[in-house]
Structures are given as structure tokens and as C-alpha cells.
Amino acid sequence: KAGVTQTPRYLIKTRGQQVTLSCSPISGHRSVSWYQQTPGQGLQFLFEYFSETQRNKGNFPGRFSGRQFSNSRSEMNVSTLELGDSALYLCASSLVEGQGRETQYFGPGTRLLVL
Amino acid sequence: QKEVEQNSGPLSVPEGAIASLNCTYSDRGSQSFFWYRQYSGKSPELIMFIYSNGDKEDGRFTAQLNKASQYVSLLIRDSQPSDSATYLCAVYTFGNEKLTFGTGTRLTIIP
């Protein structure tokens, strides 16, 4: 079974631009979560989508948004990029089993550099 | 108090010895606990998960959970240089619908 895929793998943008990242979950997985990872802050939760609905959201400004499609693929968008948005953006998918027993599998990440 | 706390390390362990990684969490309602390994420049890779109090063994890895003490640990027996990585503890709390990660412990196995 193919793993989680993310595109693009690397991205360079300038301040003020916007960016869209894509994530394809493991086949059959319905939940997609997004994380931002930086050396100083570690892994921080952005949001989670399940069946095209945002189920939870982390403490990030409204410039960060996402969506999920009917095939469970997900995109996240960051508008008006700032230097501090430079990070590794990770997508994780899980097969929702209920009872809080969700095992998340990570994609390779998209490394975003904002200049 | 952070929701999930780990000693950032670095933790240095001789090859062949046991590496012990610790994690504490603040929410008593937390139900599921995960250990991920992350090599430099790579994404986190799931090593183990544990839901019930006690020990869970998988090869050289043993996860230990003590819900009363809000403590979860990972033991790596017969440590190998390839075990050198950052180990992330993650906690899932029903109702939060999200995984909360610790900042990770950097482990170095010395040949």
C-alpha cells in the first residue's frame, strides 16, 4: 500500500506570496492532519480534516487554511507569507477507528522557505 | 505546564546498552500514546503505540505506560548507531481529536 504523499517537496517563496501544499493520504484513510515543524517550536498541530470537514484546529492565524476533497486528498494554503512561516509542513493520515485510537502516518513533508 | 514534556537531550548511550526515553503528559484523560522516531531531515516514523497500563514489547523496543503517574517511556535494548535520531512522544486525548507532540529527545548511540 502506498504511503502518504506530499507535493511539492521543496518550495521557495517570497514574503507576501501565497502557497498551496497538497497531501494524498494512505488509501482508505479518511483523516488528514497537518503540522508545522520548526527547530524552535517542534511539531505544532495546524488542523485536521475528516470526511471533508475540519474537525479540529490549532492555534494558527487565519492565514493558514485547508480543505479536504471527497477522495480524502487535502490541501493547505498559507496566504501573505511571512519569514516565520519557513518550516517543514507535514501531513499525516489515519484510519479513523474511533475511541481515540488513531495511529497517524506521516508523509515526507514539504519544506517551505520564505525569503 | 506543557501538555507533553520530554527531556530534549542530547542523550548519549553506548552501543549495545539500553536507551531510556521518558515523557510526561498533563491531561489525565489522555488515552493513546505514541512514540515516533525522526531522523534528521526526514519525517516522523511510528515506532510503537500503547493504550493500556503496563509494558508493550516489539523487538528491541518496549513502551511503558503508567497512567496514574501520567508517564510513558520507551526503552531501546541493544542500542545500535542506526537508533541515533530524535524520538517524539505523542499523546491523543479523546475529545481533542488531535495528537499533541512533545518537543522530542535527541538520542545519540556511541559506537
Side-chain angles (χ1 to χ4, degrees):
Chain A
K1 204 181 249 190
V4 179
T5 58
Q6 291 186 247
T7 57
R9 294 292 311 279
Y10 304 92
L11 209 48
I12 300 175
K13 293 286 188 178
T14 56
R15 278 180 298 173
Q17 287 187 308
Q18 66 95 26
V19 67
T20 299
L21 312 181
S22 180
C23 171
S24 292
I26 292 171
S27 177
H29 285 196
R30 296 163 64 193
S31 170
V32 173
S33 298
W34 288 90
Y35 297 86
Q36 180 196 66
Q37 188 174 35
T38 58
Q41 298 295 320
L43 259 172
Q44 293 192 291
F45 173 76
L46 280 155
F47 26 67
E48 188 234 359
Y49 286 88
F50 174 71
S51 292
E52 302 179 65
T53 300
Q54 186 181 87
R55 204 159 62 153
N56 203 355
K57 189 177 190 303
N59 297 323
F60 278 81
R63 299 185 297 106
F64 291 82
S65 63
R67 59 178 175 168
Q68 186 179 33
F69 302 95
S70 58
N71 62 358
S72 294
R73 190 177 71 85
S74 176
E75 289 182 347
M76 69 162 280
N77 184 278
V78 188
S79 62
T80 319
L81 284 166
E82 300 177 0
L83 295 179
D85 297 333
S86 295
L88 178 66
Y89 289 88
L90 291 160
C91 161
S93 79
S94 63
L95 177 64
V96 178
E97 299 173 289
Q99 304 299 316
R101 298 188 175 196
E102 298 181 6
T103 301
Q104 294 192 4
Y105 298 90
F106 283 85
T110 294
R111 191 165 294 280
L112 172 65
L113 177 62
V114 182
L115 301 175
Chain B
Q1 182 189 8
K2 289 184 181 177
E3 292 179 73
V4 180
E5 294 207 52
Q6 296 181 254
N7 188 324
S8 62
L11 175 65
S12 296
V13 173
E15 183 176 356
I18 296 175
S20 177
L21 304 162
N22 304 316
C23 173
T24 59
Y25 59 95
S26 60
D27 190 337
R28 283 196 171 274
S30 298
Q31 296 180 300
S32 310
F33 307 86
F34 303 83
W35 282 100
Y36 285 85
R37 176 176 63 198
Q38 187 173 25
Y39 293 114
S40 181
K42 301 293 185 182
S43 61
E45 170 193 13
L46 180 71
I47 299 175
M48 291 188 71
F49 56 86
I50 185 167
Y51 307 133
S52 304
N53 273 329
D55 295 0
K56 179 182 178 182
E57 188 175 314
D58 183 1
R60 296 187 297 113
F61 298 96
T62 299
Q64 299 175 317
L65 174 61
N66 184 325
K67 289 188 177 181
S69 300
Q70 295 174 242
Y71 176 93
V72 59
S73 65
L74 179 71
L75 301 178
I76 307 174
R77 289 182 301 281
D78 188 24
S79 297
Q80 303 296 311
S82 59
D83 295 327
S84 297
T86 296
Y87 289 80
L88 300 166
C89 170
V91 175
Y92 187 94
T93 304
F94 186 67
N96 275 350
E97 314 295 344
K98 67 174 183 175
L99 268 183
T100 302
F101 283 82
T103 52
T105 298
R106 189 156 58 93
L107 173 66
T108 300
I109 305 302
I110 304 167

